[in-house]
Every structure is written in C-alpha cells, then in structure tokens.
Amino acid sequence: MRTPLERSAGWADYLRDYHAARPGITEAVITRSTHPDAGTPYQWVVAALPVSPGTVVDLACGSAPLQQHLPPGTGYVGLDLSEPELRAGVRVGRSALAVADVERLPLTDASVDAVTCSMAIMLFDRLDLVLDEVARVLRPGGTFATIRPAGRPFDLSDLLHVLPLAVGLGRPPQLPHRYRSRTVARLLRERGLHLARDEALRFAFPLEGPADAHLAVQALYLPDVPPVRRRRAADLLARTAGAGRSLPVSVRRTVATRVVELDARGDR
C-alpha cells in the first residue's frame, strides 16, 4: 500500500501530465455546462463578487476562462502551475497570466480585492496553506469565491447516463481530495475568513451525441483507468445521448469575506 506522500506525488505527476496533454479541457466542459438562472459555473463565481470587483487573483486558473466574464475595468491576475494551460489561455487572447505555486503567492500582503478558484481546490494537498495565502493577500473586506465538484443536487433521471458511465469505467471518477463543507468552513474561520455562502447547483452538460460523450469522459480524472475502459465508458455513455439530454455537473460554491479587524477605538 502506498503512503500518503507517495499517493500525493503520484497525483501531482498525473495532474501535470493530464493538463499538459489536454490544455483547456476543464474550460471546454464547464463553459458548456449551464443552469437556467446561474448561467455557467464561471458566471456563478463572478456573480459572488462585488459589482466592481477591483483586483481579482484567479488561483489555479487553467486557461483563464473566468477572465472573460469579469466586468470591464477589473484588474485580473491568473496563476497556475501548468504552462500548457496558461499558453492555451494566451492563444485565445487572455492576459496577465503567470506560473505560480498557490502555496506561495507572489503577492504582497493585503494587496488584492478578491480571490477566485474554479474547480481546483480538490486538487490541493494542503488546502490550509493555500487558505493561509488567500487570507494574507486579501484586503480587509475582500472576497474569496470558489467552486468545486459536488455529489448533489442529483436527479433520478441522471442515472440513465451515470450508470453506463460507471459500468464502462469499472470505478467512479476520482479526485485527490473531497473537502467537506464543514472542513472548508473551519479552515476559513481559522484564517479570519467569514463564510458568507455555501450552496450547490446542478448544471447540465449537453449530451446530444458521441462527441459530447467522449469529451465528458476525457475531462474526468481517471489515474488508474486504462484507455480501453475509458473508450468503453464513452461508447456506453454515447448510447444514452440524444436531443435535449444532458449530463449532470453538480457544483458547490463557497464564498467568504476577509474579516475587517478593528483597533482598540473601534476604527478599521
């Protein structure tokens, strides 16, 4: 049995190679996943920020799809460890992107108005260290907004697609970590970040043909699933595709604010 350190190193290698081979894959799926009221998950993140967000730092930004949804005049900085992902963003006109470690942000204390992180905190081995950095760089009153995969909401009708997918793969998709809401809330609180909202929505990814099915499987993290099983899963999923059908993409949004500290006179 592998030790936690060995498992962590294995995931780090897998994620590096996965995103090098598929830059922009997360964006390809998430930008097509919609909710009738919230739009896409990226738009849902932006909706949690102030109307005029100021300076926004996007952690583990990937190909930086969030940037296009921010209002004009927003200062944006996208940070990620994957150079192929950042290059994919640059190719479509996104800017202010840099390679950086989320546990050691190249930013001064209390220098940004908002921090975002989309579909990535489940990839962080040390979420506590990442949140240390979020709290350090946020100005008092600043906003932290993040989304991550969730198991619910889930409709019974979703089983039509999920069961063939699971049968084809031979195991459920994996994530390095599944941080529970109460764990995230505790970590935020310990760092002076006040939990403002914690909620989940079911977004729908269109599943209308084989291309959609294969893209959905390609976007999953499947470190121990051989290619033959991935192809089998995509083929089985494609059999459930059709006009108006969709695959569930359940997402949890957590929003927090940096606590404003008062001095002895009660002034900020």
Side-chain angles (χ1 to χ4, degrees):
M1 181 179 294
R2 291 186 298 171
T3 66
L5 182 59
E6 290 171 331
R7 288 195 295 272
S8 174
W11 263 105
D13 291 341
Y14 171 78
L15 291 170
R16 181 196 63 226
D17 296 341
Y18 172 95
H19 285 285
R22 305 171 180 83
I25 185 67
T26 303
E27 175 182 356
V29 171
I30 298 301
T31 54
R32 293 183 60 202
S33 302
T34 59
H35 182 277
D37 299 318
T40 70
Y42 296 126
Q43 290 171 310
W44 200 33
V45 173
V46 171
L49 303 179
V51 175
S52 298
T55 302
V56 177
V57 173
D58 192 11
L59 303 184
C61 66
S63 51
L66 192 80
Q67 188 175 29
Q68 65 188 325
H69 298 293
L70 293 166
T74 302
Y76 177 87
V77 177
L79 304 176
D80 202 290
L81 277 177
S82 174
E83 293 187 46
E85 286 280 4
L86 296 174
R87 286 196 294 269
V90 170
R91 282 196 295 271
V92 294
R94 290 154 197 167
S95 59
L97 310 180
V99 176
D101 184 347
V102 292
E103 294 180 11
R104 289 178 288 275
L105 297 179
L107 301 163
T108 57
D109 295 358
S111 60
V112 303
D113 301 295
V115 176
T116 58
C117 184
S118 300
M119 305 303 278
I121 69 168
M122 68 285 183
L123 309 181
F124 302 153
D125 288 330
R126 294 294 305 273
L127 182 56
D128 56 336
L129 298 183
V130 176
L131 294 180
D132 282 344
E133 286 293 271
V134 170
R136 180 181 67 80
V137 303
L138 268 180
R139 294 190 177 107
T143 303
F144 173 54
T146 181
I147 54 172
R148 63 189 187 276
R152 294 176 292 178
F154 190 87
D155 296 336
L156 284 178
S157 61
D158 293 333
L159 293 175
L160 169 68
H161 311 297
V162 174
L163 287 179
L165 178 62
V167 169
L169 293 175
R171 63 181 302 172
Q174 288 182 277
L175 294 172
H177 305 283
R178 290 187 179 274
Y179 293 114
R180 296 184 177 182
S181 290
R182 62 188 180 190
T183 300
V184 175
R186 175 180 57 80
L187 292 172
L188 292 170
R189 183 175 62 251
E190 291 172 350
R191 285 150 186 83
L193 295 166
H194 170 71
L195 181 64
R197 273 173 274 176
D198 186 59
E199 54 205 333
L201 288 178
R202 178 197 180 279
F203 294 78
F205 174 77
L207 188 63
E208 300 190 344
D212 296 329
H214 282 265
L215 177 60
V217 172
Q218 186 183 23
L220 297 173
Y221 291 123
L222 303 167
D224 300 318
V225 178
V228 65
R229 274 208 167 272
R230 294 178 216 161
R231 289 193 295 270
R232 174 64 172 163
D235 290 341
L236 289 176
L237 184 60
R239 294 179 188 177
T240 73
R245 292 186 173 175
S246 63
L247 196 63
V249 179
S250 295
V251 176
R252 177 164 291 279
R253 180 179 71 172
T254 302
V255 183
T257 56
R258 183 74 171 93
V259 174
V260 177
E261 296 182 359
L262 304 180
D263 62 21
R265 297 178 300 173
D267 296 328
R268 294 185 179 186

